[in-house]
Amino acid sequence: MGKGFYISKPVGIVSIILCAGALATIIALSVVYSEEKAKNNNQVSPTDGGTTSKPPVTTLAPSNEPWDKYRLPKNLVPDHYNLTLWPRLTPDLTTGLYIFTGESTVEFETTEETDLILIHSSKLNYTILENGHLARLTSVNSGVRVPLIKVSWLQSVTQYLVLQLDGKLMTGHRYHLYTKFTGELADDLGGFYRSEYMEDGVKKVVATTQMQPTDARKAFPCFDEPAMKAIFYITLIHDPIEIMKIKNIPVTIDNQHVQKTVFEPTEKMSTYLLAFIVSDFDFINNTIDGVWIRIFARKPAIAAGQGEYALNKTGPILKFFEKYYNSSYPLPKSDQIALPDFNAGAMENWGLITYRETALLYDKEFSSNSNKQRIATIIAHELAHMWFGNLVTLRWWNDLWLNEGFASYVEYLGAHEAEPDWNVKDLIVLGDVHRVFAVDALASSHPLSSKEEDIQKPAQISELFDAISYSKGASVLRMLSDFLTEEVFTMGLRTYLSEFAFGNAVYTDLWKHLQMAVDANGTELPDTVHNIMNTWVLQMGFPVVTIDTKTGVVSQKHFLLDPDSEVTAPSPFNYEWIVPIKWMKTGAVQSPYWLRGKSATNDAMKALGTEWVLANLNVVGYYRVNYDEENWGRLLNGLSTNHQLIPVINRAQLVDDAFNLARAKIISTVLALNTTKYLDKEREYMPWESALNNLDFFYLMFDRSEVYGPMQDYLRKQVTPLFNYYKTLTENWSKVPDGHMDQYNQVNAISLACRTGLEECQNLAKTWFKQWMDTNNNQIHPNLRSTVYCNAIAASGANEWEFAWSQFKNATIATEADKLRSALACTKQPWLLNRYLEYTLDPKMIRKQDATSTIVYIANNVIGQSLAWDFVRARWSYIFTQYGGGSFSFSNLINGVTKRFSTEFELQQLKQFKEDNAEVGFGSGTLAVDQSIERTTANIKWIAENKQNVLNWFRDETNT
Ligand code: BES
Ligand code: ZN
């Protein structure tokens, strides 16, 4: 810790600096930097402006050298880092580039003697030190001979700084490794990067970080693996400021007057959880039980009160998790910051959580109830990680599913605490279970758990951030918590957290602790937690459980959306699961049943007369259910006569199961369509939403065919009562329904009514939008804006589009901008859509963080579909290189633009696309290409087999 520097009081576990005033910094290093940048284009770059200690090594031929392996050797263990970074918030005058400079000393211990040091480093340029090398090595222990560096170089493929020594580092001894380096503060959303925004006509620059999963090495040389926990002493250099209570130390470096802020040391933590930010933001704060909570954002956003909702909810959610984990929040402060440019939704850096603006900022004038729910759940998700993930970290990325799956489950518990009236916990069924059923039913799916040795390269790690890890992880953990009971689940969780605090674990450690809780509690289970959960974690997919109510036979089978698809992946359990079944008979809950093996008989499940059996109550189980035809008939009858007898989540489930079983040819498509017949009486959100999600598939398959007309007629007929219901409830659209779910379903009513051409609805949308254009006063309720904007823009031309575009550019809250950005994709004018596609690759028009989602919006539009596909395949290599730092985006992009594919011709194009770009690659979208091919193949067959039936069914239903 530098003497004389003030240590910031609020303890910079992770660090934040507010930087006000002029940002003029001209730096002398820029020339060296530009030379080095040119060199870095080589695969392996010698460093320092031309003088190098080792000729470039070609890494094209695979070798078995330690520096060609992606995993660090285990012989050096970091203890702490002393890191000083200086981001320049104005571009270098000669190169025009934004850069940062840094110095770092890492103290590490040798656990096994070695003459080689490997430390991660990516896209950094090093100063050659007085010893002629890229680093200086000294000993912490006196009297120990420090080996000399023989050669040092950067191994860019595996992202290492490599130092070969002339002698051994001794076991048990500690050393200091010092480096001085420069990096680009690029707008690439990864590592130490730059975000920009306009304020009062002035461009402002923020220096911020996104380390997860493997970009800490882009900010400073580090042992960048989650198990290499260390303490970080961070100092930031920035322009002089006089705000915040922090007293900063003025210093002069290279004739520049700057300040240093020295943060208190972090806890022992992983590199991927670090964050530091220099910005000209404002904040609001409060303190809860000694924890200092702050919300940071652009000054006008804070002034407008947009951080208040997050501030009000953070305290209660934090308190909830302290109780849930039985562990107090490990840090003295909790900062959360909304960034104008941010790739993911939010990131759980320990003590400084970063968000995209839409995920943190709320304004009741602009934000919908859906925006509000996203904020509450995303805050809960990231706060959940403060313990699960940050305090206890999984040892390697192959267990990412447990980290993200867990947070994705308990985010609903945390959000429920913040908003107890919402029934938000039910929504995991739509948001996660249904979402992931769609991908986990493909033969190209994969198990939750991967082997450690199969996950090596950064791209393989990024690929793990998918729906399986998040949503299947959340679904199976919810099932586990349910069959253990929340009491036993939290008991095991608590001892797990306390055993591994500040350390690392593997997923079986959690099973071990849950088993201890099961044993202590005397819970009865058909097998150990380990054995039950292995069937859900180690094999891909999920079962369809079939209940024959005539015989009481219960059986299971791997559910495949395309029954003809070939499952080549072997399963250690032969695609059988240990299945917990909660069920009811004619409205009365029965005692739970466990299914093991292919099939078994449960006499209680026999049904007589008008009795019906309904299994998977509240969809806590991760499986689908099928019944004998008679029971289906009685369930359908129950739906149309007294649907309230069936719990609302299961009404949503009956629809979703039926549609998917039909796609898998297990039941008829007619039976599936029949589940929608009762909807004219349904007023609840979840069944409607489930039906709409399934009918979306029908839209995708048929909106270019003759089925479209009759389908529209049927759906208009079904939705009209719902539309009228809301018209009355809201007193002619002048009020907002009270309930959260009712507010959602009002949006469904309007969007389906407008989509199916209900004139009254379309007129409403057009009139409201026109009023806004005429008066420049937007009276449309935030809940309804997305759908109203979309329908109005779809029904009109360039004037309306241009108006919406200018509103988008001038929006003062990102939430409003996002609603407009998606609505702009609704136009039916091909030239507007093509121009909009061009905008997506121009960061001045559309921020990089929003590029892929905008392309997908355009592809969702039946007119935009082929335009978007042509655009993506023509520019693939450009998109891939420009936006390669992303995490979720490529899989979303590929799945998004190919969703409608259902012809041989489209399948050929897709295969060609795969072949043409084999060299460039698909990064985190690799799996998505195969999923798209599988989906297209299934769609082609489905249309051939179903089109006529579906057409007839819609015709029959509308003629009667
Ligand atoms: N750790 C992730 C953020 C992340 C994702 C970093 C991918 C790097 C690559 C964070 O905890 C997260 O899961 N965020 C989600 C939000 C959540 C509510 C599902 C996100 O960003 O969408
Ligand atoms: Zn997460």
Side-chain angles (χ1 to χ4, degrees):
M1 188 78 49
K3 253 197 232 122
F5 294 140
Y6 180 85
I7 298 170
S8 73
K9 192 90 190 91
V11 184
I13 288 298
V14 281
S15 330
I16 181 156
I17 298 286
L18 295 172
C19 186
L23 304 168
T25 42
I26 303 164
I27 42 125
L29 283 161
S30 56
V31 177
V32 176
Y33 181 74
S34 61
E35 287 171 7
E36 289 179 354
K37 181 134 174 69
K39 292 211 174 58
N40 244 354
N41 294 335
N42 299 330
Q43 282 226 310
V44 172
S45 72
T47 51
D48 192 89
T51 39
T52 174
S53 41
K54 191 178 176 186
V57 177
T58 170
T59 49
L60 291 177
S63 84
N64 221 11
E65 301 290 358
W67 49 82
D68 292 322
K69 302 198 170 106
Y70 284 89
R71 291 298 300 274
L72 285 169
K74 295 188 172 34
N75 47 20
L76 305 178
V77 178
D79 180 82
H80 66 265
Y81 296 76
N82 252 307
L83 172 66
T84 301
L85 287 168
W86 183 8
R88 309 303 202 279
L89 303 190
T90 49
D92 172 70
L93 288 182
T94 36
T95 62
L97 292 174
Y98 290 81
I99 68 151
F100 62 90
T101 53
E103 285 180 74
S104 165
T105 300
V106 53
E107 179 171 323
F108 62 85
E109 187 176 320
T110 312
T111 53
E112 202 185 313
E113 62 173 34
T114 176
D115 56 7
L116 178 71
I117 298 176
L118 293 181
I119 185 166
H120 284 113
S121 171
S122 165
K123 300 193 177 167
L124 294 173
N125 298 277
Y126 289 80
T127 302
I128 296 264
L129 303 176
E130 69 294 334
N131 59 2
H133 290 290
L134 309 182
R136 182 196 307 136
L137 185 67
T138 51
S139 170
V140 176
N141 316 76
S142 56
V144 174
R145 182 198 169 249
V146 185
L148 296 176
I149 299 172
K150 268 201 309 198
V151 279
S152 59
W153 75 95
L154 293 170
Q155 191 74 11
S156 66
V157 174
T158 43
Q159 306 182 332
Y160 288 124
L161 162 61
V162 188
L163 309 170
Q164 275 184 329
L165 311 176
D166 75 345
K168 301 274 191 198
L169 299 170
M170 305 303 286
T171 307
H173 285 264
R174 288 180 172 223
Y175 301 88
H176 280 162
L177 185 72
Y178 168 83
T179 49
K180 191 168 180 206
F181 51 89
T182 321
E184 186 183 349
L185 196 68
D187 62 348
D188 57 358
L189 310 169
F192 202 13
Y193 74 92
R194 177 175 102 245
S195 171
E196 297 178 352
Y197 62 99
M198 298 298 287
E199 193 176 291
D200 302 329
V202 179
K203 183 169 107 172
K204 300 265 185 167
V205 176
V206 179
T208 184
T209 56
Q210 170 59 42
M211 307 307 199
Q212 196 187 20
T214 57
D215 276 340
R217 64 191 70 169
K218 248 177 106 213
F220 64 104
C222 55
F223 298 92
D224 199 8
E225 293 193 357
M228 293 289 190
K229 289 196 175 187
I231 293 172
F232 297 83
Y233 295 82
I234 294 173
T235 298
L236 293 183
I237 300 177
H238 52 89
D239 281 0
I241 48 169
E242 272 319 324
I243 51 173
M244 285 192 11
K245 283 169 246 161
I246 301 178
K247 206 167 114 203
N248 295 277
I249 306 303
V251 284
T252 304
I253 308 176
D254 298 337
N255 288 328
Q256 294 177 58
H257 302 298
V258 288
Q259 285 181 352
K260 279 191 179 189
T261 297
V262 182
F263 290 86
E264 285 210 0
T266 67
E267 297 290 350
K268 197 173 174 212
M269 62 185 284
S270 307
T271 46
Y272 82 87
L273 292 168
L274 283 170
F276 29 83
I277 299 175
V278 177
S279 75
D280 189 15
F281 281 6
D282 215 342
F283 71 91
I284 47 175
N285 70 124
N286 63 27
T287 305
I288 289 208
D289 293 343
V291 179
W292 196 24
I293 297 171
R294 294 186 292 186
I295 306 292
F296 288 85
R298 290 178 293 104
K299 285 175 173 167
I302 290 294
Q306 292 169 8
E308 300 290 342
Y309 181 72
L311 184 66
N312 291 338
K313 296 301 174 189
T314 298
I317 297 174
L318 209 59
K319 288 277 120 191
F320 167 77
F321 282 122
E322 288 190 329
K323 264 194 294 161
Y324 187 75
Y325 293 128
N326 191 32
S327 163
S328 43
Y329 177 68
L331 313 177
K333 63 105 173 170
S334 168
D335 286 333
Q336 297 178 93
I337 186 164
L339 295 160
D341 300 281
F342 190 75
N343 200 38
M347 174 64 213
E348 70 269 25
N349 315 297
W350 214 4
L352 172 51
I353 307 175
T354 42
Y355 292 83
R356 60 165 65 194
E357 291 195 350
T358 48
L360 191 68
L361 303 180
Y362 175 83
D363 187 324
K364 72 174 183 345
E365 298 288 314
F366 294 97
S367 309
S368 64
N369 66 321
S370 153
N371 297 144
K372 197 178 198 176
Q373 185 190 315
R374 175 160 154 88
I375 294 166
T377 48
I378 205 160
I379 291 175
H381 178 108
E382 306 311 337
L383 290 180
H385 277 312
M386 299 298 115
W387 291 260
F388 203 101
N390 298 10
L391 180 64
V392 177
T393 310
L394 276 323
R395 194 174 68 197
W396 183 243
W397 297 109
N398 61 315
D399 280 346
L400 176 87
W401 71 270
L402 183 59
N403 190 27
E404 291 304 348
F406 185 89
S408 298
Y409 163 48
V410 300
E411 70 183 48
Y412 290 95
L413 312 189
H416 175 69
E417 194 69 14
E419 298 286 357
D421 301 332
W422 282 359
N423 282 335
V424 70
K425 286 199 261 181
D426 296 354
L427 294 178
I428 193 173
V429 172
L430 297 172
D432 291 282
V433 186
H434 285 182
R435 166 178 179 236
V436 70
F437 269 172
V439 282
D440 204 19
L442 301 178
S444 58
S445 187
H446 62 89
L448 270 173
S449 187
S450 316
K451 290 211 194 78
E452 181 164 351
E453 59 271 24
D454 291 344
I455 307 300
Q456 303 258 350
K457 300 180 186 181
Q460 292 170 324
I461 298 168
S462 291
E463 220 181 333
L464 291 173
F465 289 83
D466 68 356
I468 298 289
S469 294
Y470 276 79
S471 295
K472 182 174 184 175
S475 306
V476 303
L477 290 167
R478 170 170 170 265
M479 175 168 75
L480 172 62
S481 176
D482 183 79
F483 71 70
L484 293 182
T485 71
E486 189 167 293
E487 190 194 338
V488 172
F489 184 75
T490 50
M491 199 194 293
L493 181 62
R494 289 165 184 178
T495 56
Y496 163 85
L497 289 176
S498 94
E499 178 177 343
F500 297 102
F502 302 105
N504 295 81
V506 292
Y507 80 91
T508 47
D509 290 322
L510 179 61
W511 296 170
K512 192 182 82 193
H513 279 265
L514 291 171
Q515 188 63 46
M516 279 157 42
V518 163
D519 296 342
N521 190 65
T523 311
E524 276 188 40
L525 293 178
D527 208 325
T528 59
V529 171
H530 188 96
N531 289 347
I532 296 171
M533 291 313 289
N534 271 353
T535 69
W536 300 95
V537 166
L538 298 183
Q539 57 186 349
M540 69 172 185
F542 56 89
V544 47
V545 170
T546 302
I547 297 174
D548 187 332
T549 64
K550 297 194 297 295
T551 57
V553 171
V554 191
S555 56
Q556 61 168 303
K557 189 168 184 270
H558 182 191
F559 179 78
L560 287 168
L561 204 52
D562 175 1
D564 305 331
S565 60
E566 213 183 316
V567 179
T568 46
S571 153
F573 305 102
N574 213 3
Y575 292 105
E576 275 175 36
W577 290 261
I578 303 181
V579 193
I581 303 180
K582 292 204 165 162
W583 62 289
M584 62 164 46
K585 194 183 265 182
T586 330
V589 179
Q590 309 290 310
S591 54
Y593 177 75
W594 283 91
L595 174 64
R596 289 196 78 156
K598 274 252 167 307
S599 105
T601 304
N602 177 8
D603 284 331
M605 286 185 179
K606 286 187 191 160
L608 299 166
T610 57
E611 284 182 333
W612 45 260
V613 166
L614 176 78
N616 202 4
L617 283 189
N618 293 327
V619 196
V620 286
Y622 187 68
Y623 54 89
R624 294 197 178 282
V625 189
N626 183 28
Y627 308 93
D628 55 292
E629 222 179 307
E630 289 81 353
N631 195 62
W632 269 116
R634 293 190 294 264
L635 283 166
L636 285 187
N637 190 43
L639 281 180
S640 57
T641 52
N642 191 2
H643 63 264
Q644 273 94 348
L645 260 191
I646 297 173
V648 62
I649 303 182
N650 285 97
R651 304 209 290 276
Q653 191 58 25
L654 283 171
V655 175
D656 195 65
D657 277 346
F659 271 89
N660 284 282
L661 292 168
R663 276 178 71 180
K665 290 197 262 185
I666 296 172
I667 64 171
S668 71
T669 302
V670 163
L671 173 51
L673 286 167
N674 282 340
T675 63
T676 67
K677 279 166 73 168
Y678 92 104
L679 287 174
D680 54 359
K681 289 188 229 60
E682 181 63 89
R683 300 289 174 265
E684 292 277 355
Y685 166 68
M686 289 192 57
W688 264 108
E689 182 66 16
S690 172
L692 292 181
N693 289 338
N694 283 293
L695 290 164
D696 240 3
F697 173 69
F698 280 62
Y699 271 111
L700 291 174
M701 293 304 102
F702 295 132
D703 63 5
R704 298 174 290 178
S705 83
E706 71 268 31
V707 182
Y708 184 66
M711 176 167 91
Q712 288 282 79
D713 293 342
Y714 170 71
L715 293 175
R716 191 178 337 100
K717 187 180 103 185
Q718 292 301 81
V719 78
T720 303
L722 191 71
F723 182 81
N724 290 331
Y725 167 79
Y726 276 105
K727 185 177 164 185
T728 313
L729 189 76
T730 60
E731 297 174 20
N732 211 8
W733 315 110
S734 65
K735 299 223 155 55
V736 184
D738 288 336
H740 185 62
M741 301 282 186
D742 291 335
Q743 292 182 25
Y744 277 146
N745 214 24
Q746 180 195 10
V747 178
N748 277 343
I750 294 183
S751 50
L752 188 62
C754 280
R755 183 180 200 173
T756 53
L758 190 75
E759 221 167 293
E760 186 179 348
C761 181
Q762 292 184 332
N763 288 339
L764 263 184
K766 279 188 278 189
T767 316
W768 286 340
F769 196 82
K770 186 166 184 316
Q771 256 167 17
W772 179 24
M773 282 180 74
D774 292 347
T775 62
N776 223 356
N777 179 6
N778 189 347
Q779 297 284 350
I780 309 163
H781 189 274
N783 286 354
L784 310 183
R785 285 186 184 180
S786 290
T787 184
V788 169
Y789 294 174
C790 175
N791 281 292
I793 288 172
S796 44
N799 277 348
E800 287 74 6
W801 200 96
E802 297 297 352
F803 173 77
W805 175 258
S806 75
Q807 293 293 331
F808 164 71
K809 286 313 257 179
N810 295 325
T812 54
I813 178 159
T815 278
E816 178 68 9
D818 263 14
K819 294 184 176 83
L820 288 157
R821 187 166 58 83
S822 72
L824 286 164
C826 297
T827 178
K828 303 280 181 227
Q829 314 282 331
W831 72 277
L832 288 174
L833 289 168
N834 265 333
R835 194 181 61 175
Y836 197 26
L837 279 167
E838 295 295 335
Y839 289 179
T840 63
L841 296 188
D842 178 355
K844 284 197 221 55
M845 301 297 230
I846 299 286
R847 289 182 185 273
K848 280 189 174 186
Q849 62 171 13
D850 297 324
T852 54
S853 65
T854 309
I855 299 171
V856 172
Y857 292 147
I858 295 170
N860 285 344
N861 177 341
V862 60
I863 314 275
Q865 155 71 58
S866 54
L867 307 177
W869 166 240
D870 287 347
F871 182 79
V872 167
R873 53 186 179 142
R875 319 279 172 101
W876 181 254
S877 76
Y878 178 79
I879 295 175
F880 190 70
T881 45
Q882 284 296 302
Y883 296 81
S887 47
F888 304 114
S889 2
F890 288 135
S891 59
N892 286 351
L893 181 64
I894 292 168
N895 282 322
V897 295
T898 60
K899 254 201 313 213
R900 232 184 225 93
F901 280 13
S902 50
T903 65
E904 271 306 329
F905 183 60
E906 285 164 333
L907 180 62
Q908 287 321 314
Q909 289 186 348
L910 194 49
K911 288 182 176 165
Q912 191 67 47
F913 173 63
K914 181 177 174 181
E915 211 179 294
D916 291 349
N917 293 290
E919 203 119 293
V920 179
F922 300 95
S924 59
T926 309
L927 197 61
V929 177
D930 290 331
Q931 286 170 344
S932 300
I933 291 176
E934 188 181 341
R935 216 183 22 239
T936 307
T937 313
N939 289 347
I940 294 170
K941 274 191 293 189
W942 187 84
I943 291 194
E945 284 160 19
N946 287 284
K947 189 170 167 184
Q948 199 52 47
N949 281 345
V950 170
L951 180 60
N952 295 344
W953 191 89
F954 283 128
R955 281 194 181 137
D956 291 348
E957 286 304 315
T958 39
N959 287 338
T960 49

